[in-house]
Amino acid sequence: MAYAGLTAERLTRAGAELADEVGFDQVTVSELARRFDVKVASLYSHLKNSRDLKTRIALLALEELADRAAEALAGRAGKDALTAFGNVYRDYAREHPGRYAAAQFRLDPEAAAASAGGRHSQMTRAILRGYDLTEPDQTHAVRLLGSVFHGFVSLELAGGFSHSAPDSAESWSRTLDALDALLRNWPTP
Amino acid sequence: MAYAGLTAERLTRAGAELADEVGFDQVTVSELARRFDVKVASLYSHLKNSRDLKTRIALLALEELADRAAEALAGRAGKDALTAFGNVYRDYAREHPGRYAAAQFRLDPEAAAASAGGRHSQMTRAILRGYDLTEPDQTHAVRLLGSVFHGFVSLELAGGFSHSAPDSAESWSRTLDALDALLRNWPTP
DNA sequence: TAAGTTGCCTAAAGGTCTTAGGCAAACGAA
DNA sequence: TTCGTTTGCCTAAGACCTTTAGGCAACTTA
């Protein structure tokens, strides 16, 4: 029948769009086949299985996120960098909720090692260069930043902050203020 | 055939255990039926559908978590309360990863209103009474605490902090120190 | 004890995942 | 140019999960 031009690449990109539309959990090999107007079995020449598809989408999302973060960080330092970095995460999650969920997909060690995960922690460390932290506090701070960003964005996306004043954007802004203050005045026990 | 004594309650509890064993996503009506040595269709007298089961597990987890938190908070204030509260979340997630994942299940508005969600935010507010914050900063701080706790626990559970020094328990302890310091010295822009 | 309710069952339809094997078109080499 | 190989999608089929419909036997209740 018709040549559809299937490719792991194209399937991954279409899968990412599908995730943003219907949610990452609802991404299905069958639905993807439907969108390419092709029989389901045809996809298995390009994808190992359903998990393989999800892994590829996750890796795509991590790359996109890292690319955006790298661009946002260029030429910035201190609170400016902190804010830009945080906004990249938050904006990406709001623009691409399915992809953001994909970025949280539990990768197997092999895929994780090949992912952009390393870039993310490197960039977080780079932000801390604008503050006066040495190891091991730097690592603790990296983990704290990751926790706050991921936690806030997740909860906001899940609707945890809606339907109540003040606006969640306001809380976000004050959260960044708070983090900046905390990093400038990091407590040593 | 044999009387199995099925009940929405019993199914929910068994579902929660199943979640802890195989992960919340893998909780399935079929597997549950298998565990009760009963035909799948029989469960549909007690559960509306698969989503209903997951909703019930989520509500159970939220209640358990709120109960633990309430007990931990009794008679504590300030950093002591903050630490106890945070540890409840972290310990619960480590002991019951499936239930913790269930607690993040996106409830429909009706179920959400009937959930223990309200108790959670009330308790978080109660912790802040030990610090000197007024509205709207109090709400911002509630959201920040929720973000940090949820974010840290999620990332830790996902293995984000493993395989690298220092120990994640150390980072957790320093995170609580940092939050305490931040709340005692909340920045006003 | 008759009537109604409860609790689990069989049957069946529809959806997803995955593997096996086939055919035709495109490609590459002699 | 032609013949063999590869590529790309297909049909077929098995396995599992979800959900609805209808049945039967045992227990409850008046």
Side-chain angles (χ1 to χ4, degrees), chain B residues 4-5 39 41-42:
Chain B
K39 297 297 172 180
S42 304

Side-chain angles (χ1 to χ4, degrees), chain A residues 82 85 89 117-131 133-151 179 182-183 186, chain B residues 148 151-152 155-156 160-161 164-166 168 171-172 174-175 178:
Chain A
L82 180 72
F85 192 69
Y89 275 81
R119 289 173 69 199
H120 287 274
S121 47
Q122 277 316 107
M123 287 189 281
T124 310
R125 274 212 150 61
I127 290 174
L128 295 183
R129 277 202 278 277
Y131 299 90
L133 291 173
T134 54
E135 288 298 358
D137 287 307
Q138 201 174 52
T139 297
H140 298 317
V142 165
R143 292 172 175 177
L144 175 60
L145 284 186
S147 298
V148 175
F149 289 158
H150 171 56
L179 285 177
L182 180 60
L183 291 173
W186 187 259
Chain B
V148 175
F152 192 98
L155 294 180
E156 187 180 30
F161 302 152
S164 63
S168 85
S171 289
W172 173 247
R174 302 303 307 281
T175 291

